[in-house]
Amino acid sequence: MRRNPRDLPRYTAGERLNHWITGICFILLALSGLAFFHPAFYPLVQFFGGGPWARILHPYIGVVMFVFFLGMVIRFAGLNLIERRDVEWLKNVGQMIDGDDHNMPEQGKYNGGQKLVFWGFLLCMLLLLVSGVAMWRAWWTLPVNTVRLASVVHALMAVIMLLIFVLHVYAAIWTRGTIRAMLYGTVTRAWAKQHHRGWYRKMTGDNR
């Protein structure tokens, strides 16, 4: 892909690698998790070499995902703090869905929707980690009622996180020009000005 030298840098190589490792881990966890969730999905264990290997690998991949997502939290948490303009953006999100985003409140590097996705992922990750550790019988055995409660919490958070993930991917595809930011690290000036005017002004010094 030929890129314009005037394109704006949005993500470093390290940030993109962090993102993709986290995303790949999530996909692997979703596949193995679905296999454990219902017999109809059990054939998915073949991606991991069979049921025993899927059961062994699932929690370890979960730990890797959490560690790399924690890296993203360290990198991006400050940029995802909810501000008044984000609340206004969320109140008017219907306009954007209808295809008219010209009157949306000016946004920084991330808009209100992206920030909700970020914090939603973090909440799910924390609860998945705690409940998953409680269920990890290879290392310890907790009271059966604790494990049962952890299993319900784990399944519920997994479903919610899967829905957030689908929304995240759909929004990236729907907003043309977004995926290239995580592939090549840059976005066009036109994309930045339309979708993240505050960030565009900060990067370019253009106050028009």
Side-chain angles (χ1 to χ4, degrees), residues 141-153:
T141 301
L142 298 180
V144 65
N145 287 336
T146 301
V147 176
R148 287 173 177 170
L149 176 61
S151 300
V152 173
V153 172

Side-chain angles (χ1 to χ4, degrees), residues 65-129:
M65 180 179 72
F66 181 81
V67 169
F68 277 91
F69 186 77
L70 189 59
M72 295 181 68
V73 171
I74 294 171
R75 293 173 187 269
F76 302 124
L79 295 169
N80 281 280
L81 298 176
I82 303 294
E83 303 174 42
R84 181 174 296 178
R85 62 182 176 180
D86 299 317
V87 176
E88 291 301 315
W89 188 92
L90 291 167
K91 287 180 179 178
N92 293 280
V93 70
Q95 296 181 32
M96 189 190 70
I97 294 175
D98 290 337
D100 180 16
D101 61 354
H102 298 288
N103 296 318
M104 297 294 288
E106 183 176 285
Q107 294 291 287
K109 188 168 185 177
Y110 300 109
N111 60 45
Q114 290 171 308
K115 292 180 179 182
L116 286 184
V117 166
F118 177 85
W119 296 114
F121 273 141
L122 178 58
L123 177 61
C124 288
M125 286 271 192
L126 290 172
L127 291 173
L128 283 168
L129 177 71

Side-chain angles (χ1 to χ4, degrees), residues 51 63 137 208:
V63 171
R137 294 190 174 185
R208 291 178 293 175

Side-chain angles (χ1 to χ4, degrees), residues 16-207:
R16 300 197 306 275
L17 180 63
N18 196 163
H19 172 272
W20 287 115
I21 291 176
T22 303
I24 290 169
C25 285
F26 177 80
I27 292 171
L28 293 174
L29 288 166
L31 292 174
S32 54
L34 285 171
F36 304 145
F37 187 75
H38 193 277
F41 299 115
Y42 190 75
L44 293 173
V45 299
Q46 300 307 316
F47 287 108
F48 305 89
W53 271 112
R55 183 67 188 88
I56 292 169
L57 291 173
H58 184 86
Y60 287 103
I61 297 172
V63 171
V64 172
M65 180 179 72
F66 181 81
V67 169
F68 277 91
F69 186 77
L70 189 59
M72 295 181 68
V73 171
I74 294 171
R75 293 173 187 269
F76 302 124
L79 295 169
N80 281 280
L81 298 176
I82 303 294
E83 303 174 42
R84 181 174 296 178
R85 62 182 176 180
D86 299 317
V87 176
E88 291 301 315
W89 188 92
L90 291 167
K91 287 180 179 178
N92 293 280
V93 70
Q95 296 181 32
M96 189 190 70
I97 294 175
D98 290 337
D100 180 16
D101 61 354
H102 298 288
N103 296 318
M104 297 294 288
E106 183 176 285
Q107 294 291 287
K109 188 168 185 177
Y110 300 109
N111 60 45
Q114 290 171 308
K115 292 180 179 182
L116 286 184
V117 166
F118 177 85
W119 296 114
F121 273 141
L122 178 58
L123 177 61
C124 288
M125 286 271 192
L126 290 172
L127 291 173
L128 283 168
L129 177 71
V130 173
S131 58
V133 168
M135 296 162 57
W136 204 349
R137 294 190 174 185
W139 294 100
W140 42 69
T141 301
L142 298 180
V144 65
N145 287 336
T146 301
V147 176
R148 287 173 177 170
L149 176 61
S151 300
V152 173
V153 172
H154 202 77
L156 180 61
M157 289 302 104
V159 170
I160 293 174
M161 191 167 174
L162 183 59
L163 293 174
I164 296 174
F165 178 81
V166 170
L167 175 63
H168 176 60
V169 172
Y170 176 77
I173 296 172
W174 179 58
T175 308
R176 185 177 180 182
T178 299
I179 293 179
R180 61 170 284 173
M182 271 300 170
L183 291 176
Y184 306 108
T186 61
V187 293
T188 65
R189 292 184 175 231
W191 181 94
K193 189 173 184 179
Q194 180 177 353
H195 300 294
H196 299 273
R197 289 192 299 275
W199 179 71
Y200 169 81
R201 297 181 199 280
K202 180 180 178 180
M203 295 294 292
T204 64
D206 184 354
N207 293 316

